[in-house]
Amino acid sequence: MAWLHTWAGLIVSWVLFAIFLGGTLACFDKELDYWMRPALHQLAPGPIAMDAAATTLREMAPHAETLYLRPPSARDPSIHGFVFEPGKPTIDVALNPRDGTRIPPTVGGNFFFVLHYNLQAGTPGVYLVGLAGMLMLLALVSGVIIHRRVFKDFFVFRPQAGGQRAWLDGHNLTGVLGLPFHLMIAYTGVIIMMSTYMTAGVQIGYHGDLAAYYAALSSTPHPVEQHRLPSRVASLNKILHDAVQRLGGPAQYLEIEHVHDASITISALAAGNDEVAGGRRNLIYDGTDGHFRGESESPPAAYRTYQFLSGLHRVQFGGAAIRWLYFLLGTAGCVMLATATQVWIEKRQRKAEAAGLRSGYGLVRALNIAVIAGMPLASVALLWANRLLPGNLAVRASWEAQSFYAVWLLATIWAVLRLRRGKPWRELFGMTAALLLALPLLNALTEPRSSLLASIVDHDWVLAGVDATALALGLGFAWLAWLNTRPRKNVRRDARIGAASASSHAARPREKSA
Amino acid sequence: MTLWLILLALNYSSWALLCLAVARHHRQHFGAEVSVRRSRLLRLGGWLTMLAAWVISVHWRGWDIGSVDWCASWMLAAIAWVLLQPYRPRFARWLAFVGGAASLFALISFLSPTLF
């Protein structure tokens, strides 16, 4: 069983680390979206321009049959427009909530969300992430089975033991104590994409027609086309206002169906942030005169179960505090993965020293540094690129993404080059710390109205929160860099220290070697 | 905010009690063997505190969100206790005691505002 844990884990541990870190950052995707769009900061109070936003979206996709508009929320004041047309790239734009115009493009915090479920690699990426998720479930279950002292060592953490012992304790600690979270997040993560991974149901029930399957899941009854243009189009502002009144809470989306037909229908889905499974109420309006037609039926129990599981994963419920808990547990997951590869490396150190640096061992060590220290650096670089790239640049969003990849590549080269002579862990962690600590300064210099001070004065806690979190994380990375300045102990010395501490703590219970 | 602090504090205290009920950790903290009676009491206190935290969480936020809140803070509290224990054992115990007592006080004053 140990071999299963080692190999199920090791093969995908770096991919999983990228997925975990991306997902952890995506806990605050909308907050990062907001931070990365200075045009939205310090908006003058005023009405929400849903109609102007719809006009902008229709100009961008003149032939689209269905448009989606996400009204402003407490987490993100922009209006978001989405269009999904078969055979065309998805449109996902942030619009100014006052006049419906487009805001300078940015990949936003959404970058981490997409990275998290497809590694920014489209459908093949979705399959790779799914495979990694399934192997993670395997590694979690086999990990509990091979951890014979799971209850005896439940509270044990011996950082002073050094070397492999401390790494293994750290791995067990974050793995075992966070186990319910890790199991839940890996399982629900795979479940969210189940119609992609397990196609048998759709093949048999819908003869492989995914569109028919999704249409059956949708709770909105589809209007019958009348093949003539609508005489007029109802005001979305009024419909949104009415929907919020009827729902007694915010609406998540307005869906505009049959945009160019007299059967135009508008539905408003409840945000439902007070339920794990999300909103179930869906109000339907006539798209020509805007009169309320009624509510669609609640989704069936099986689909509601799916919504509950995906809701547990996507954590859109319960406010910022629960997102912070997920963020911290996600960080624990990152530590579990980082310590895992470290245990693997420490265990093989002596063998590898005999084989020499030419063996694959040196490469594994360098790549390990490149992934675990490189990705945080690249993530901060993305935020820097957002502030440094000119606002009117048309290809701004793709340049932001390119700078993320470029910095990650540079970090990889750095790790390879500095492995023998330098201290690549310390250097990369140190750079990450410096960039994080200087981020509020950069923000204040490039966007004075969005600075930490201005946002505190303005009581804009979402904006201030991003800068403050950067400072806190910067201190954390500085601490990690400082830890790595201490001389590296070799394996043999560790073994002696381990033996010495075991005998000097003779008062402790008989410790069998694990 | 108060709910979160109470949840974290109660879960943290419950882990501390459960941990101190283990002979090895009792010896680490107090340098003395734990008696069977004391160990049982500590363990019972730990489970009861944990249950109390769950009941409060569900009462405040509903069974679904409340359970998620509880479970997440339960895991984080465990990690916090285990990380703090080897470095600052005295502070770790102090935090468990003060946190537990303060949240009990907060709860009582919340449930019976007329008493205070």
Side-chain angles (χ1 to χ4, degrees):
Chain A
M1 196 58 87
W3 64 267
L4 180 66
H5 182 72
T6 303
W7 293 105
L10 184 77
I11 293 169
V12 288
S13 58
W14 291 333
V15 177
L16 278 176
F17 182 84
I19 298 169
F20 250 77
L21 186 57
T24 303
L25 292 171
C27 286
F28 294 109
D29 56 345
K30 287 185 183 136
E31 286 76 4
L32 287 169
D33 272 346
Y34 176 53
W35 188 90
M36 290 168 90
R37 293 195 172 96
L40 291 171
H41 305 164
Q42 306 219 335
L43 278 177
I48 299 166
M50 294 297 281
D51 291 298
T55 308
T56 309
L57 204 55
R58 284 176 70 160
E59 281 163 7
M60 290 178 72
H63 303 295
E65 295 226 329
T66 310
L67 309 175
Y68 296 88
L69 286 171
R70 188 178 79 202
S73 67
R75 293 177 65 196
D76 180 0
S78 73
I79 298 175
H80 240 79
F82 301 91
V83 182
F84 309 97
E85 276 181 288
K88 289 188 185 173
T90 301
I91 295 176
D92 171 359
V93 284
L95 304 164
N96 189 313
R98 295 290 166 264
D99 55 17
T101 53
R102 292 182 67 180
I103 285 167
T106 172
V107 286
N110 195 45
F111 179 82
F112 297 112
F113 173 63
V114 176
L115 184 77
H116 165 73
Y117 76 78
N118 72 6
L119 305 169
Q120 299 279 0
T123 312
V126 172
Y127 281 106
L128 187 60
V129 169
L131 186 68
M134 292 176 212
L135 283 170
M136 178 172 175
L137 280 172
L138 211 57
L140 285 170
V141 174
S142 58
V144 175
I145 294 171
I146 61 166
H147 189 6
R148 282 155 203 240
R149 298 165 59 89
V150 57
F151 288 112
K152 269 189 188 158
D153 279 358
F154 200 80
F155 298 106
V156 172
F157 177 47
R158 290 158 288 190
Q160 57 288 81
Q164 199 194 325
R165 174 81 267 159
W167 287 116
L168 189 59
D169 274 356
H171 178 63
N172 289 344
L173 160 75
T174 42
V176 171
L177 298 182
L179 189 68
F181 177 77
H182 303 321
L183 276 175
M184 179 281 285
I185 217 79
Y187 178 70
T188 54
V190 173
I191 287 290
I192 286 178
M193 292 288 189
M194 69 180 173
S195 56
T196 309
Y197 300 142
M198 298 185 286
T199 54
V202 178
Q203 293 293 346
I204 293 167
Y206 298 89
H207 306 289
D209 186 357
L210 263 178
Y213 166 68
Y214 285 124
L217 285 179
S218 160
S219 52
T220 317
H222 294 284
V224 181
E225 263 189 274
Q226 297 178 8
H227 301 289
R228 56 188 171 83
L229 287 171
S231 51
R232 60 192 177 121
V233 178
S235 159
L236 292 174
N237 287 350
K238 278 189 190 152
I239 289 178
L240 178 64
H241 185 76
D242 184 77
V244 170
Q245 298 285 320
R246 282 178 199 271
L247 292 170
Q252 191 180 10
Y253 285 106
L254 290 188
E255 180 185 1
I256 309 159
E257 261 194 297
H258 290 187
V259 177
H260 308 291
D261 192 79
S263 59
I264 182 169
T265 301
I266 293 158
S267 48
L269 179 70
N273 294 334
D274 51 351
E275 275 185 277
V276 170
R280 67 169 88 206
R281 293 182 66 195
N282 193 20
L283 310 181
I284 299 163
Y285 292 88
D286 188 302
T288 54
D289 57 10
H291 82 261
F292 176 61
R293 283 217 196 116
E295 268 188 54
S296 58
E297 284 172 37
S298 268
Y303 190 60
R304 199 66 188 151
T305 309
Y306 169 81
Q307 286 183 318
F308 181 85
L309 291 175
S310 87
L312 263 184
H313 190 101
R314 297 184 309 117
V315 68
Q316 300 299 303
F317 58 86
I322 187 78
R323 271 189 288 280
W324 273 109
L325 294 194
Y326 269 57
F327 180 86
L328 292 173
L329 287 167
T331 310
C334 292
V335 173
M336 172 182 73
L337 292 161
T339 48
T341 54
Q342 203 60 34
V343 167
W344 193 88
I345 284 169
E346 296 266 340
K347 215 173 175 175
R348 282 154 188 79
Q349 189 179 12
R350 222 180 310 171
K351 241 190 269 175
E353 267 167 12
L357 260 184
R358 284 275 174 80
S359 68
Y361 178 76
L363 185 69
V364 170
R365 266 180 64 201
L367 286 180
N368 192 44
I369 299 167
V371 173
I372 287 160
M375 188 175 162
L377 181 64
S379 306
V380 193
L382 179 73
L383 298 184
W384 273 70
N386 172 268
R387 282 295 190 267
L388 290 177
L389 290 169
N392 50 7
L393 200 66
V395 288
R396 207 176 118 86
S398 77
W399 278 30
E400 283 175 358
Q402 300 301 334
S403 55
F404 173 87
Y405 300 127
V407 169
W408 202 349
L409 188 66
L410 284 175
T412 307
I413 295 170
W414 185 275
V416 172
L417 292 181
R418 300 281 295 168
L419 189 62
R420 288 187 74 177
R421 295 284 150 77
K423 287 189 181 304
W425 280 117
R426 183 183 69 185
E427 291 150 2
L428 291 176
F429 281 148
M431 279 186 249
T432 310
L435 286 188
L436 277 168
L437 290 171
L439 190 67
L441 192 67
L442 173 78
N443 184 23
L445 289 175
T446 52
E447 298 288 341
R449 293 187 317 144
S450 314
S451 73
L452 181 58
L453 205 63
S455 48
I456 289 174
V457 170
D458 213 39
H459 296 275
D460 189 341
W461 303 121
V462 174
L463 200 54
V466 175
D467 274 11
T469 307
L471 285 178
L473 288 176
L475 290 177
F477 275 99
W479 177 70
L480 283 178
W482 175 78
L483 278 185
N484 279 285
T485 58
R486 296 189 304 182
R488 198 184 147 76
K489 303 164 192 162
N490 65 40
V491 173
R492 253 180 233 155
R493 212 174 129 235
D494 284 347
R496 252 190 292 128
I497 288 176
S501 67
S503 59
S504 70
H505 291 79
R508 288 187 184 179
R510 292 144 282 144
E511 283 188 59
K512 285 174 235 155
S513 58
Chain B
M1 192 64 200
T2 322
L3 167 69
W4 291 103
L5 289 178
I6 289 177
L7 265 186
L8 278 168
L10 283 181
N11 275 322
Y12 180 85
S13 305
S14 81
W15 284 118
L17 289 171
L18 287 175
C19 178
L20 292 175
V22 180
R24 169 188 193 169
H25 297 293
H26 191 276
R27 214 176 298 121
Q28 246 174 14
H29 277 269
F30 302 113
E33 287 295 330
V34 62
S35 67
V36 177
R37 208 176 106 88
R38 193 174 150 101
S39 170
R40 275 200 195 133
L41 273 176
L42 284 168
R43 194 163 290 146
L44 182 71
W47 288 113
L48 283 179
T49 317
M50 197 175 278
L51 186 70
W54 181 73
V55 169
I56 291 159
S57 186
V58 165
H59 177 76
W60 248 318
R61 300 252 284 180
W63 73 270
D64 57 346
I65 294 185
S67 299
V68 177
D69 286 350
W70 172 81
C71 196
S73 59
W74 181 67
M75 287 180 264
L76 281 175
I79 293 175
W81 165 259
V82 175
L83 282 183
L84 216 51
Q85 191 186 209
Y87 294 106
R88 297 269 181 280
R90 190 192 283 265
F91 175 71
R93 293 197 302 273
W94 177 85
L95 196 63
F97 181 74
V98 171
S103 31
L104 282 181
F105 179 78
L107 271 179
I108 293 167
S109 60
F110 176 80
L111 292 174
S112 50
T114 48
L115 275 179
F116 294 89

